[in-house]
Amino acid sequence: MPDYATLAPSAPWRELRTTRADWDDADPAALESMLVSAHLIRAFEEKVLELAGQGLVHGPAHSAVGQEGGAVGSAALMRATDQINGSHRAHHQFLAKSIRYVAPRGLAPAEDFSPAIRGLAQRSLAEILGLAQGFCRGRGGSMHLRWAEAGNLGTNAIVGGGVPLAAGAAWAHKRAGKGDVAFAYFGDGAVNIGSVLETMNIAAAWKLPLCFFIENNRYAVSTHVEEATAEPRLSARGSAFAIPAWKVDGMDPLAVYLATKEAMELMRNGGGPAIIEADVYRYFHQNGPLPGSAFGYRDKAEETAWRARDPLDRLASEMEQRQIIGSSGVAALRERSLALMAEVAHELVEQADGKNRIKPALWPDEGFRDHGIRGDLSELSGQRTEELETFSGAIDGSAKFIDAVANVMQRRMATDDRIVVMGEDVHRLKGGTNGATRGLAAAFPDRVLGTPISEAAFTGLGGGIAMDGRYLPVVEFMYPDFMWVAADQVFNQIGKARHMFGGDIDVPLVLRTKVAMGTGYGSQHSMDPAGIFATSPGWRIVAPSTPFDYVGLMNSALRCKDPVLVIEHVELYNSTGPAPVDDLDYFIPLGKAKVVRKGTAMTILTYLAMVRPVLEAVERLGVDAEVIDLRSLDRAGLDWQAIEASIRKTGNVLVVEQGARGTSYGGLLAAEIQNRCFDWLDQPVQRVHGGEASPSISKVLEAAACARPADIDRGLRQVMADQGRPLS
């Protein structure tokens, strides 16, 4: 019979319960401030539910009535420079952190509410109602609350979606070395999400000062936690990643306070992340003013039992026993909190025809609809721009493309210590799998981060760093197909952040990836991502085809305050072309295409690795074609001035791309050209693209799936034939 040894977790996992002595020793001022905060939050949430019941909240109203103890207990010790984010149910956490920010010395129950508290309540309610004076100018509503000044990074409608972003803030805090911490609040429904668990792993491996604060309210909409997991003590997740964890009664604000105090000491002193699981209870359904029992997934007896443990009553009772406050003082605080919210709501809502309505003047102007999807690129104004034809520095005419990739990053990291590079194996293998980060790890060991295989976590972490604003992340996807693994972070989080949070935040992030068609890596490693990213708001896209262009476009991408996808191609890596010898500081503007061959018979629009074979085909067939290397591919970056000038001249358009038809970029481009340039076209826009299927492993089938020189030839012949000028 084998011998067995019982294994113990590497990090402590404890349940913390308060004692009478803890309450006796508690700072009365801290208890008072938590009580006031809790009453303000309760009154706020009740007003939101009241307005929702009147049909004045457009969209969900995810209230946290009953869960205030976790929010006020954890926020009570936060610095202004600590940061938090939360989930779709986060009014209470947003308010608790913001109250702590506007009243850092605390709040006394008998004091009048300050103008700052009133302003916080009004702007928060205005945001939930979708009004222009809200923190996100009405765009965020109940689920997307951001006030960066107060340390609120932005709450999140995607379950678990904000957790990787909070890790980015925590990384920035660790790098800054000032002892600040980040909190990611999420619920029992998020604790089994892959990106959350990935982030726990990376935070532990990198010892990030991040608290994973789990509000276990027992229900993800209507599914009970014990239906969703075999281990409903959710803080047990810490044992898998060697993260110290605390389990507390979230209906006891002091228990949360004490656990947070211990967790903060650990995090501020370099001990890495912490987990706090607070058992709480939402009194109402997932959304709206009805209890869960009205929907049949829990009974009234359960709800009554939890209401008997109300966190506001618990605080008040313990304080009354110690003569810190009397019952009349608690009642007065409650009335003043309700009165404040009534006054605030009255400033936003009016009566018309016997019904309440939003005051019409407070709605955002419809012209604000698209404002702030991306920035205005003013950060690039005044920079020295160059094209190869105007460049006066020394040029190496046969430089390797991959060397230009590594060299420009070496130069930028040497001149800008904000830049941090991260991705799988970027710190090893002499510059990653292709040499793109060659020499960087040796020169900047603390800024080149080899990540676990966890695209969702490290991409979101990069997004969090970007939104924090102190550092500039360059994230590498080894292959662009991996964007689907990290799709939430790429598209829902990073791409939408600027617009969603009001249009005036910066998201400076560069995402590098390579198209690997022709390498035999098959369907899951070979796609061209341009078509997918171009249909997703917020991203800028560049696709350099020469070493010289790569340097200038990467410099612009790194200066840009929007997220930028930089697409590379394995066919180009070992190709040679002109590149600067020692001047790596010029820029090529984003949104500037290049006419690489002039002509009058047709306009050919292409990019990346297809530029060279297009030029070769044009010369081989003797076509008088104008060839434009698009270089910038996002909607805002298309150089319509150059494209339209060419189409006016030629009247015929051929779009050439290598990748699959289904995810193609050319379909979007052709549709735009048809809409904008219809009167100048002599025939419909023609296209060259790959097949419907993704590339296969088989060399023959892979070649058939991609656009080849023969396909380009056929495209040229078709355009000329449709003009009545067939090629011989």
Side-chain angles (χ1 to χ4, degrees):
M1 184 175 178
D3 291 330
Y4 294 93
T6 300
L7 300 178
S10 300
W13 176 33
R14 296 177 292 182
E15 183 169 4
L16 184 153
R17 302 188 188 98
T18 56
T19 65
R20 180 179 293 275
D22 292 322
W23 284 98
D24 290 341
D25 293 340
D27 179 5
L31 297 179
E32 287 182 330
S33 194
M34 284 195 288
L35 183 68
V36 177
S37 293
H39 272 277
L40 281 169
I41 294 168
R42 175 69 59 85
F44 181 92
E45 293 285 64
E46 290 173 341
K47 180 56 68 174
V48 169
L49 290 175
E50 177 189 327
L51 296 174
Q54 297 169 9
L56 298 179
V57 177
H58 183 62
H62 296 117
S63 78
V65 176
Q67 299 185 194
E68 299 90 349
V72 300
S74 56
L77 292 167
M78 289 185 186
R79 303 172 180 173
T81 47
D82 293 331
Q83 293 174 312
I84 73 166
N85 69 6
S87 68
H88 58 285
R89 187 182 316 284
H91 304 164
H92 55 322
Q93 296 143 1
F94 177 86
L95 289 169
K97 179 66 168 79
S98 298
I99 290 169
R100 176 75 177 155
Y101 173 73
V102 301
R105 297 182 181 179
L107 297 168
E111 289 181 358
D112 290 336
F113 295 127
S114 68
I117 292 290
R118 169 183 281 276
L120 168 63
Q122 186 182 59
R123 288 189 70 190
S124 300
L125 186 59
E127 184 58 47
I128 291 168
L129 295 175
L131 307 184
Q133 68 192 90
F135 281 101
C136 301
R137 305 185 192 181
R139 283 185 178 155
S142 173
M143 298 184 289
H144 307 293
L145 297 166
R146 175 181 167 91
W147 187 18
E149 184 183 347
N152 279 297
L153 294 168
T155 62
N156 209 286
I158 301 298
V159 174
V163 177
L165 301 173
W171 186 91
H173 289 321
K174 181 178 180 180
R175 176 77 181 167
K178 297 181 180 179
D180 295 327
V181 302
F183 274 62
Y185 291 96
F186 54 97
D188 49 280
V191 80
N192 300 312
I193 294 283
S195 61
V196 173
L197 299 173
E198 287 182 21
T199 304
M200 288 182 178
N201 177 64
I202 203 169
W206 292 0
K207 289 195 173 299
L208 302 182
L210 173 61
C211 181
F212 299 90
F213 195 100
I214 306 168
E215 282 191 318
N216 187 353
N217 68 20
R218 310 184 74 76
Y219 292 93
V221 186
S222 64
T223 301
H224 195 279
V225 65
E226 292 181 358
E227 297 177 77
T229 179
E231 176 50 278
R233 300 171 299 171
L234 304 180
S235 46
R237 277 36 173 194
S239 297
F241 303 106
I243 301 176
W246 288 258
K247 182 176 175 60
V248 299
D249 178 5
M251 310 303 272
D252 178 350
L254 183 60
V256 178
Y257 177 94
L258 294 175
T260 302
K261 183 177 181 181
E262 294 179 10
M264 279 190 169
E265 183 177 359
L266 170 84
M267 293 186 291
R268 294 199 197 281
N269 291 328
I275 291 175
I276 297 175
E277 177 191 3
D279 288 319
V280 295
Y281 198 76
R282 55 172 165 87
Y283 291 173
F284 296 94
H285 179 51
Q286 162 78 354
N287 171 33
L290 297 176
S293 57
F295 298 86
Y297 61 86
R298 61 191 192 194
D299 57 40
K300 292 183 178 180
E302 177 184 310
E303 292 173 341
T304 300
W306 277 94
R307 280 181 175 268
R309 301 175 53 211
D310 189 284
L312 278 65
D313 293 344
R314 177 69 188 275
L315 256 178
S317 174
E318 296 286 358
M319 292 170 67
E320 287 176 35
Q321 290 178 40
R322 288 158 182 80
Q323 299 183 346
I324 299 171
I325 194 171
S327 59
S328 61
V330 176
L333 173 60
R334 166 72 170 164
E335 290 303 315
R336 288 193 301 111
S337 299
L338 292 172
L340 173 67
M341 288 313 306
E343 292 167 10
V344 166
H346 182 69
E347 294 167 2
L348 306 176
V349 175
E350 66 181 10
Q351 281 246 325
D353 300 324
K355 294 182 179 180
N356 281 346
R357 70 173 188 182
I358 303 293
K359 292 182 178 180
L362 302 181
W363 292 112
D365 187 276
E366 287 188 0
F368 187 59
R369 182 192 67 187
D370 291 339
H371 172 78
I373 291 175
R374 58 189 66 82
D376 60 5
L377 296 182
S378 58
E379 64 271 23
L380 293 174
S381 62
Q383 302 303 319
R384 175 171 64 95
T385 62
E386 298 281 4
E387 295 289 353
L388 179 62
E389 294 75 12
T390 65
F391 189 71
S392 60
I395 288 288
D396 178 354
S398 58
K400 266 194 173 184
F401 193 103
I402 194 64
D403 291 341
V405 174
N407 290 343
V408 70
M409 283 305 303
Q410 181 91 19
R411 172 62 176 167
R412 293 282 68 80
M413 292 186 77
T415 57
D416 188 347
D417 61 9
R418 299 175 305 140
I419 297 174
V420 55
V421 173
M422 65 183 69
E424 295 155 2
D425 297 304
V426 295
H427 62 319
R428 299 273 166 78
L429 306 176
K430 298 181 179 180
T433 53
N434 292 99
T437 53
R438 185 202 65 234
L440 299 185
F444 315 102
D446 59 336
R447 291 195 282 141
V448 179
L449 310 177
T451 65
I453 300 174
S454 53
E455 277 79 10
F458 71 71
T459 303
L461 189 146
I465 292 173
M467 285 180 244
D468 173 86
R470 287 174 286 181
Y471 303 100
L472 175 55
V474 179
V475 178
E476 178 183 303
F477 278 176
M478 194 178 289
Y479 294 93
D481 308 67
F482 298 173
M483 72 178 175
W484 300 119
V485 181
D488 174 48
Q489 298 302 317
V490 171
F491 301 119
N492 274 326
Q493 310 301 340
I494 295 167
K496 293 179 180 177
R498 180 192 280 273
H499 183 266
M500 182 171 68
F501 291 127
D504 55 3
I505 75 164
D506 297 330
V507 190
L509 177 144
V510 171
L511 175 59
R512 291 182 46 251
T513 194
K514 63 176 182 281
V515 177
M517 294 181 199
T519 63
Y521 268 73
S523 294
Q524 297 176 337
H525 286 68
S526 303
M527 77 177 298
D528 178 349
I532 302 299
F533 275 82
T535 59
S536 302
W539 281 92
R540 296 187 184 272
I541 310 167
V542 296
S545 65
T546 70
F548 184 90
D549 284 2
Y550 188 94
V551 172
L553 288 170
M554 177 55 83
N555 284 336
S556 292
L558 289 168
R559 182 63 63 94
C560 183
K561 293 182 179 180
D562 296 323
V564 182
L565 173 68
V566 178
I567 309 177
E568 301 159 13
H569 201 298
V570 291
E571 287 184 14
L572 294 176
Y573 280 158
N574 289 319
S575 69
T576 59
V581 173
D582 49 18
D583 178 1
L584 296 164
D585 298 331
Y586 61 90
F587 292 74
I588 291 176
L590 302 182
K592 183 71 172 176
K594 183 173 184 179
V595 178
V596 294
R597 185 188 190 279
K598 292 187 177 297
T600 61
M602 74 174 78
T603 298
I604 304 178
L605 303 175
T606 189
Y607 61 94
L608 208 63
M610 297 305 280
V611 174
R612 186 172 295 181
V614 163
L615 290 170
E616 291 171 352
V618 166
E619 295 301 326
R620 183 171 58 251
L621 297 179
V623 181
D624 183 22
E626 183 146 293
V627 180
I628 298 179
D629 181 355
L630 293 168
R631 300 196 297 195
S632 288
L633 306 180
D634 54 278
R635 287 183 182 275
L638 281 169
D639 187 351
W640 287 110
Q641 182 176 355
I643 294 169
E644 291 177 354
S646 182
I647 294 173
R648 280 177 179 268
K649 178 171 57 174
T650 68
N652 301 280
V653 180
L654 179 66
V655 178
V656 179
E657 60 185 323
Q658 186 182 30
R661 179 178 186 177
T663 55
S664 78
Y665 176 74
L668 176 151
L669 180 58
E672 281 293 310
I673 292 170
Q674 299 270 134
N675 289 335
R676 296 176 67 114
C677 308
F678 182 81
D679 290 342
W680 308 330
L681 293 173
D682 296 332
Q683 60 176 299
V685 175
Q686 303 283 351
R687 293 174 55 203
V688 173
H689 50 70
E692 182 178 355
S694 302
S696 306
I697 294 294
S698 166
K699 188 172 184 179
V700 172
L701 294 178
E702 179 181 43
C706 304
R708 294 174 283 185
D711 299 307
I712 300 172
D713 288 1
R714 279 193 293 272
L716 293 171
R717 291 180 183 280
Q718 184 66 54
V719 174
M720 296 303 292
D722 287 350
Q723 296 181 55
R725 301 162 61 187
L727 299 173
S728 58

